């Protein structure tokens, strides 16, 4: 998604197959990249995955496309934010457990700090015209970004008519029949499993072995690079990861109960968002109704309009969209005065941190515990065929997400309300910049924010 004219950073789409693989990547270099990614990971999971593909597969060649897609397909099967889990997986594959923890944490922490700051502005100052104007410009750009990401992923995943058919069927299922995402994943997996027995060449992951390598050159972790020792399956490793994950969860929960009691706001937030984290199949939008019901109706941590405003903040900040839970936590902690009436900001920030911890802890456990088993299946069609079909199905789901964004951006009051021509113009310009000029994510969002602010100020 980003191209430059300098020789050191040009996209390697035309790199010869005989080019040398990149030099080994130090932990410090990887740390700097994951930190940068945490601040530029806009565009929801589709945009974030596209950014990682551009940087890690095309430009830096830290991992081959087939290995990238293999990891991505596993992450898509899990509850939780797949883009954050993918970063954790690649970080773990490159630099062991701490590499995965750093990659996953840095994917989330910038968004947490930004949302704490924006939530404080939201509650302290109310309606801020400058912030509203920035959001007004970013939303149409995000719509174009998601559509562009669907195109990029689709060009890699939809290699034959079978894959196109799966993508079209998944789009119709979710758009016309409101089919649940887990049902779409299950149907695609079954098609891949049984279809590969009859037509194995159709369901080869990523459209065949040679396509990725011929496109970008050899990678540091290439198709046939042996699995590192730390990434090989071990029952001892599995037991240690599960024990550490359950232990951290138990210590945190027991600590909240000991300090505040079971019925206290922070304790109830920890328990509620643990359950929510285990239900996030299909991304944030799949679990938002559950979060709305619990946070607004049951616990009354915030109001319905505040929840909608929080979703807007989540859509326009870096990091996974499920980070909207940090806004829910901050507002709940502020309004419930969990740190006392004289420390509202502290209470809100503490609640946001508690909610984020309990929401993302399962994601780290899933990757660090399940990664070795997934690495053992690399190149095995019996495992990769269902995942290849799932990738095709997800393309249709992403297109549906782009249409969902477009509907709410272009008709903010519903189809019975007025059409927002200014938002449409920003969306078209953003799409043109992405498809025609390959503009990077950061300048795209920065320019769109400036245009949106100017439009709102002159109205």
């Amino acid at each position: 998604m980003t191209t430059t004219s300098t020789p050191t950073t040009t996209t390697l789409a035309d790199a010869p197959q005989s080019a040398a693989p990149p030099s080994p990547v130090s932990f410090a270099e990887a740390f700097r990249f994951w930190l940068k990614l945490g601040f530029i990971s806009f565009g929801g999971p589709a945009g974030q995955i596209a950014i990682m593909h551009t940087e890690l597969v095309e430009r830096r060649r830290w991992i081959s496309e087939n290995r990238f897609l293999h990891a991505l397909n596993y992450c898509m099967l899990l509850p939780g934010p797949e883009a954050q889990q993918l970063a954790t997986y690649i970080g773990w594959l490159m630099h062991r457990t701490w590499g995965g923890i750093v990659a996953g944490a840095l994917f989330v922490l910038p968004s947490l700090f930004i949302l704490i700051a924006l939530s404080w502005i939201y509650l302290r100052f109310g309606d801020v015209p400058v912030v509203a104007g920035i959001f007004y410009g970013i939303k149409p750009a995000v719509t174009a970004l998601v559509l562009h990401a669907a195109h990029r992923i689709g060009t890699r995943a939809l290699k034959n008519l079978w894959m196109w058919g799966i993508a079209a069927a998944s789009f119709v299922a979710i758009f016309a029949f409101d089919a649940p995402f887990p049902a779409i994943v299950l149907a695609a997996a079954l098609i891949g499993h049984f279809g590969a027995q009859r037509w194995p060449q159709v369901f080869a992951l990523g459209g065949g072995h040679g396509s990725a390598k011929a496109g970008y050159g050899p990678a540091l972790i290439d198709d046939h690079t042996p699995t590192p020792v730390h990434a090989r399956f071990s029952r001892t490793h599995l037991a240690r990861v599960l024990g550490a994950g359950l232990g951290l969860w138990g210590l945190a929960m027991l600590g909240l109960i000991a300090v505040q009691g079971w019925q206290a706001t922070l304790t109830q937030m920890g328990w509620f968002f643990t359950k929510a984290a285990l239900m996030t199949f299909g991304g944030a939008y799949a679990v938002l109704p559950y979060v709305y019901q619990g946070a607004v109706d049951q616990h009354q941590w915030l109001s319905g309009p505040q929840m909608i405003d929080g979703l807007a903040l989540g859509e326009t900040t870096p990091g996974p969209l499920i980070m909207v839970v940090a806004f829910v936590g901050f507002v709940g902690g502020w309004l419930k005065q969990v740190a006392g009436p004289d420390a509202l900001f502290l209470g809100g920030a503490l609640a946001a941190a508690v909610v984020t911890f309990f929401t993302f802890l399962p994601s780290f456990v899933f990757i660090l515990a399940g990664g070795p088993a997934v690495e053992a299946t690399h190149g095995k069609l019996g495992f990769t065929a269902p995942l290849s079909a799932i990738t095709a199905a997800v393309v249709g789901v992403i297109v549906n997400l782009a249409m969902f964004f477009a509907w709410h951006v272009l008709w903010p009051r519903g189809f019975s309300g007025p059409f927002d021509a200014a938002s449409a113009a920003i969306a078209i310009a953003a799409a043109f910049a992405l498809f025609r000029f390959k503009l990077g994510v950061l300048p795209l969002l920065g320019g769109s924010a400036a245009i949106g602010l100017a439009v709102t100020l002159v109205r």
Side-chain angles (χ1 to χ4, degrees), residues 278-370:
L278 300 176
M279 295 180 60
T280 52
F281 289 99
Y285 278 106
V287 78
L288 281 178
Y290 176 76
V291 173
Y292 183 97
Q293 183 182 36
V296 177
D297 298 334
Q298 180 182 352
H299 295 286
Q300 299 180 347
W301 292 326
L302 74 172
S303 67
Q306 287 174 330
M307 181 72 186
I308 296 173
D309 292 339
L311 179 58
L313 287 174
E315 288 175 343
T316 51
T317 52
L321 180 57
I322 194 60
M323 280 303 298
V324 67
V325 300
F327 175 86
V328 173
F330 188 95
V331 175
W334 178 293
L335 297 180
K336 297 295 184 180
Q337 301 180 359
V338 298
D342 297 326
L344 296 180
F345 176 82
L346 176 62
L350 182 61
V354 166
V355 164
T356 301
F357 173 82
F358 283 100
T359 299
F360 285 93
L361 177 62
S363 292
F364 287 96
V365 175
F366 290 142
I367 296 301
L368 298 178

Side-chain angles (χ1 to χ4, degrees), residues 21-421:
S23 302
V25 179
S26 67
F27 187 87
E29 182 181 355
F31 182 95
R32 290 191 294 270
F33 170 76
W34 299 121
L35 179 62
K36 170 188 172 184
L37 180 66
F39 283 99
I40 66 171
S41 56
F42 291 91
Q48 292 154 3
I49 291 167
I51 292 171
M52 280 191 281
H53 184 275
T54 299
E55 291 289 336
L56 298 178
V57 177
E58 300 178 27
R59 181 169 175 261
R60 301 170 189 265
R61 291 183 294 153
W62 287 359
I63 187 170
S64 70
E65 177 153 311
N66 283 342
R67 296 291 281 266
F68 181 90
L69 291 176
H70 188 74
L72 172 60
N73 285 327
Y74 170 61
C75 296
M76 286 179 172
L77 289 173
L78 299 174
E82 60 266 33
Q84 185 264 349
Q85 290 168 334
L86 178 61
T88 305
Y89 191 107
I90 297 174
W92 161 78
L93 195 58
M94 295 179 63
H95 293 109
R96 308 175 68 90
T97 299
W98 276 111
I101 292 173
V102 165
L106 291 179
F107 198 90
V108 171
L109 289 178
S111 177
L112 173 61
F113 294 137
I114 292 171
L115 277 171
I116 286 176
L118 293 178
S119 301
W120 175 76
I121 293 173
Y122 175 82
L123 289 173
R124 180 66 178 82
F125 299 103
D127 185 16
V128 181
V130 172
V131 176
I134 291 174
F135 287 174
Y136 180 81
I138 287 179
K139 287 181 181 180
V142 169
T143 302
L145 188 62
V146 173
L147 184 62
H148 182 254
H151 174 264
R152 288 177 58 86
I153 296 175
T155 56
R156 299 193 303 271
L158 308 183
K159 298 296 185 180
N160 52 62
L161 291 178
W162 272 83
M163 296 303 176
W164 275 97
I166 293 172
S170 71
F171 171 78
V172 172
I174 196 169
F175 178 79
F177 300 102
D178 199 23
F181 185 79
I184 294 175
V185 169
L186 177 61
L190 291 174
I191 292 173
H193 173 73
F194 291 107
Q197 297 177 11
R198 181 72 179 274
W199 305 284
Q201 73 283 357
V202 170
F203 294 91
L205 184 65
H209 161 68
S211 59
K213 197 167 187 176
Y216 309 118
L220 187 63
I221 303 175
D222 217 332
D223 291 355
H224 299 294
T225 300
T227 300
V229 175
H230 73 271
R232 297 173 185 171
F233 180 78
S234 162
R235 291 177 180 174
T236 302
H237 169 82
L238 177 63
R240 286 176 179 172
V241 173
L242 292 178
L246 291 173
L248 285 173
W249 182 88
L251 285 175
M253 184 59 67
L254 289 175
L256 290 175
I257 294 174
V259 173
Q260 294 203 324
W262 173 251
Q263 296 297 332
T265 298
L266 291 180
T267 308
Q268 288 298 304
M269 283 182 173
W271 176 243
F272 174 78
F273 283 103
T274 296
K275 295 184 291 183
L278 300 176
M279 295 180 60
T280 52
F281 289 99
Y285 278 106
V287 78
L288 281 178
Y290 176 76
V291 173
Y292 183 97
Q293 183 182 36
V296 177
D297 298 334
Q298 180 182 352
H299 295 286
Q300 299 180 347
W301 292 326
L302 74 172
S303 67
Q306 287 174 330
M307 181 72 186
I308 296 173
D309 292 339
L311 179 58
L313 287 174
E315 288 175 343
T316 51
T317 52
L321 180 57
I322 194 60
M323 280 303 298
V324 67
V325 300
F327 175 86
V328 173
F330 188 95
V331 175
W334 178 293
L335 297 180
K336 297 295 184 180
Q337 301 180 359
V338 298
D342 297 326
L344 296 180
F345 176 82
L346 176 62
L350 182 61
V354 166
V355 164
T356 301
F357 173 82
F358 283 100
T359 299
F360 285 93
L361 177 62
S363 292
F364 287 96
V365 175
F366 290 142
I367 296 301
L368 298 178
V374 175
E375 280 298 303
T377 66
H378 175 66
K380 297 181 179 179
L381 186 63
F383 184 83
T384 60
L387 298 183
S388 187
I390 290 171
T391 301
V394 168
V395 173
V397 174
I398 294 173
V399 172
N400 176 72
L401 178 63
M403 293 187 64
F404 178 87
F405 278 170
W407 170 34
H408 286 277
V409 168
L410 303 181
W411 288 273
R413 300 179 186 175
F415 285 121
S416 59
F419 176 77
D420 193 332

